[in-house]
Amino acid sequence: MAYSSSTRDFVALSDLHPNLARPNVIGVVIGKTDVRSFPDRKNIGSERYTFSFTIRDSPTYFINVNSWGREEYIRSLSESFRVGDCVTIENPLVQSKEAEREEKFNPTTPSGYKLLLSENHSVVKTSSCYEMDTKLLSLLHLPVKDPQDYYSLGDIIANGQSLDGRILNVLAAVMSVGEPKYFMTSDKRKGQRCEVKLYDETEISFPIVCWDNESIQLAQSWIPRETVIFASDVRINFDKFRNCMTATVISKTIITTNPETAEANVLFSFIKESAQSGGLQDKMEEQSKESVNLETIGDVYTVEQLKEKALQSGGKLEPVYGIIYGYISTLDIDDNASKVIRNRCSICRFIVNEMSNTCTFCSDVFSDSKSTFASFDILVDLTDHTGTLYSCYLSDCVAEETLGCTVHEFLTLTEDKKTALKWQLLLEQSKIYFKVTLPPSWRTRLKVNVLSCKLADPAEASQSLLGKGTGNKRL
């Protein structure tokens, strides 16, 4: 079978064989790796560059394409197209593949062959003017594996460490897409990382990590709580640091965005119903309460110790949870209500932009007040005998517990009663649970979230001052 255009004939990928001279093929790019380099054995001291991609021209057939050559050629070729583009390849070399060896690191394909590109003989062009384009683009929504062959996120967590290191398929919805983070490796190579949180009917937050530029760019196109992905051949690992299961995109992985399968349609329906019923919000609140269990926080710090810890971290401080015995030294709740109360999205609970009426997390634009709810969002200063942490966040239900009233009840208070409420809390010795992270402007101040703030037991507070080393255990 061959596809025709006004200028040339294209051989179907299923009809390729090594004896076919100068074939031309067309397909949609469904997977692609980053450019890598290796020492050139023939020219000691120099390097050869390579990258690979996978093209598809029918529901049942796809093939891997490899390219080797000079750095300038390989980088230029790699940057000329992305996953989702239609490409034509003129005069590739058709070679038999060594399935067992090659498919350890490359996507598993139904073809017994692979294509090799030569800088001197092969040409790759992006295609947008052929009749095949519409049909080819529809292939982007068909998984390369059996659509029923996948693990739910709940199954992965239930099986736990028995799946550590396994390669398997995942069908899930996108909860959030993190910002790409860039770094330098020990051998002075540039690296990047992006973490995406997935969810389905069985689990509300499961991390999948992208380490290559191609998958990171693809992830940036996903819309939280609207996108479903079928990720074939991801590696499952147990993250000892976070004590949880994670997935990682590897060179074998092919990700199908918004797959057109019965199983994906069920997940799409779940997304829609959860958003409308508020079920997703309930689950997020439930997990939020479970994820910060105050009983597990036992390290006691002074303000001075926290600041020293941040300075010594070199800007790479992991979240720190702990307890401070101190007091709220600034609490402006009797000023303007608009400064302490903000609207939040009813679905994800993130702050709504007052000017555009848009959720800062899911980017939804709200047309009615039912889509949002009022919540405390207060900045307070926390002080102990060693110093002050400025502009700490006292928000949402934690603020309600601290103030002893709901937002609705607060709005009914007179100015005198608000002032009286402020002085019940201000400068009173308290036991304050916190989470500290380093924002981009960490040299100016730490980002401190108050997890709980209640009046301290005087004896317990005085005992805590006896030990002054960082991270003293709670007595």
Side-chain angles (χ1 to χ4, degrees):
M1 177 183 175
Y3 303 124
S4 296
S5 76
S6 58
T7 57
R8 60 173 67 85
D9 290 332
F10 296 105
V11 178
L13 298 181
S14 57
D15 292 339
L16 290 172
H17 55 83
N19 296 325
L20 194 62
R22 301 180 65 84
N24 296 320
V25 298
I26 185 171
V28 63
V29 180
I30 60 173
K32 185 167 175 271
T33 70
D34 284 353
V35 172
R36 293 171 295 157
S37 63
F38 296 91
D40 189 339
R41 294 178 181 176
K42 294 180 180 179
N43 299 295
I44 306 300
S46 62
E47 293 186 321
R48 295 181 71 200
Y49 286 77
T50 181
F51 81 102
S52 61
F53 58 101
T54 306
I55 62 171
R56 188 177 197 174
D57 72 347
S58 73
T60 57
Y61 228 80
F62 47 97
I63 193 170
N64 292 326
V65 186
N66 297 326
S67 182
W68 291 81
R70 298 178 303 110
E71 180 178 7
E72 295 81 3
Y73 165 68
I74 293 298
R75 291 199 183 281
S76 175
L77 180 59
S78 174
E79 291 168 4
S80 68
F81 62 89
R82 298 289 177 198
V83 170
D85 287 343
C86 295
V87 297
T88 60
I89 304 176
E90 300 174 16
N91 198 30
L93 178 64
V94 183
Q95 274 193 343
S96 296
K97 70 178 182 183
E98 300 175 44
E100 186 175 343
R101 182 177 67 85
E102 294 182 16
E103 291 183 351
K104 184 177 181 180
F105 301 105
N106 296 300
T108 303
T109 68
S111 175
Y113 307 107
K114 62 182 177 182
L115 300 181
L116 293 181
L117 301 184
S118 161
E119 180 177 359
N120 296 324
H121 301 99
S122 307
V123 177
V124 179
K125 298 178 181 177
T126 55
S127 163
S128 60
C129 57
Y130 298 104
E131 294 177 3
M132 281 298 299
D133 278 8
T134 303
K135 293 179 181 178
L136 285 174
L137 289 173
S138 69
L139 300 176
L140 289 170
H141 303 292
L142 296 181
V144 296
K145 294 291 186 74
D146 180 348
Q148 297 180 333
D149 177 20
Y150 67 90
Y151 275 69
S152 72
L153 303 180
D155 286 340
I156 294 174
I157 291 172
N159 282 279
Q161 296 187 47
S162 65
L163 292 179
D164 187 44
R166 287 276 300 277
I167 307 296
L168 47 82
N169 309 322
V170 171
L171 174 69
V174 175
M175 170 60 74
S176 64
V177 180
E179 289 292 324
K181 296 181 179 179
Y182 301 93
F183 56 88
M184 193 74 73
T185 63
S186 57
D187 58 353
K188 305 301 181 184
R189 295 175 183 265
K190 292 180 180 179
Q192 61 277 313
R193 182 184 188 277
C194 176
E195 183 166 299
V196 176
K197 293 292 179 64
L198 304 177
Y199 72 106
D200 63 9
E201 301 96 328
T202 64
E203 178 60 32
I204 196 65
S205 182
F206 184 92
I208 181 169
V209 182
C210 305
W211 292 96
D212 64 289
N213 187 54
E214 293 296 332
S215 62
I216 289 174
Q217 287 202 27
L218 180 62
Q220 296 303 307
S221 71
W222 297 337
I223 303 173
R225 288 182 308 289
E226 291 184 21
T227 300
V228 169
I229 65 170
F230 187 100
S232 70
D233 289 336
V234 294
R235 188 176 67 233
I236 301 299
N237 288 112
F238 176 71
D239 187 325
K240 293 180 181 179
F241 180 76
R242 291 189 288 183
N243 194 34
C244 69
M245 302 302 293
T246 65
T248 302
V249 176
I250 58 176
S251 56
K252 280 180 62 66
T253 305
I254 291 182
I255 299 177
T256 305
T257 303
N258 292 333
E260 294 177 353
T261 66
E263 295 75 18
N265 287 338
V266 171
L267 192 49
F268 277 119
S269 297
F270 167 73
I271 293 174
K272 186 176 180 181
E273 290 169 6
S274 296
Q276 291 175 343
S277 66
L280 185 58
Q281 176 195 330
D282 294 340
K283 283 190 175 183
M284 289 178 75
E285 285 186 49
E286 222 172 84
Q287 191 179 65
S288 172
K289 290 174 183 175
E290 291 174 1
S291 61
V292 187
N293 181 357
L294 300 184
E295 289 300 315
T296 65
I297 300 175
D299 292 338
V300 179
Y301 292 85
T302 65
V303 170
E304 184 179 52
Q305 288 169 347
L306 272 180
K307 291 180 177 179
E308 286 177 359
K309 189 176 182 71
L311 285 171
Q312 292 169 1
S313 72
K316 299 178 181 179
L317 181 69
E318 294 293 334
V320 176
Y321 294 86
I323 300 167
I324 286 177
Y325 288 95
Y327 54 88
I328 297 175
S329 51
T330 301
L331 181 64
D332 293 328
I333 60 173
D334 54 350
D335 187 8
N336 187 337
S338 64
K339 292 184 178 180
V340 297
I341 295 174
R342 301 282 298 277
N343 285 330
R344 290 180 182 268
C345 172
S346 296
I347 296 173
C348 69
R349 301 183 70 85
F350 273 67
I351 296 291
V352 172
N353 185 301
E354 304 292 344
M355 297 293 290
S356 62
N357 206 33
T358 303
C359 176
T360 55
F361 181 76
C362 56
S363 302
D364 285 343
V365 179
F366 304 112
S367 57
D368 59 73
S369 58
K370 293 181 181 178
S371 301
T372 64
F373 67 96
S375 168
F376 284 117
D377 193 48
I378 308 169
L379 291 177
V380 300
D381 294 345
L382 303 178
T383 300
D384 69 1
H385 63 289
T386 66
T388 298
L389 295 171
Y390 296 97
S391 299
C392 305
Y393 294 88
L394 180 63
S395 307
D396 209 2
C397 55
V398 178
E400 291 187 351
E401 291 173 2
T402 302
L403 298 177
C405 65
T406 64
V407 171
H408 178 71
E409 291 168 343
F410 179 81
L411 290 172
T412 64
L413 297 178
T414 64
E415 293 305 309
D416 288 344
K417 289 187 176 179
K418 289 178 183 177
T419 300
L421 175 60
K422 176 175 78 172
W423 283 104
Q424 285 179 17
L425 299 167
L426 209 61
L427 305 181
E428 292 291 336
Q429 191 168 45
S430 301
K431 183 178 184 180
I432 303 162
Y433 289 82
F434 65 84
K435 173 187 176 182
V436 167
T437 51
L438 287 183
S441 58
W442 70 276
R443 291 185 184 279
T444 307
R445 66 178 180 85
L446 299 170
K447 180 180 179 182
V448 182
N449 288 87
V450 178
L451 306 178
S452 174
C453 179
K454 295 181 180 179
L455 294 181
D457 174 83
E460 183 180 321
S462 61
Q463 270 190 310
S464 73
L465 297 177
L466 297 178
K468 297 186 179 180
T470 302
N472 292 305
K473 287 293 181 182
R474 180 175 53 192
L475 299 175

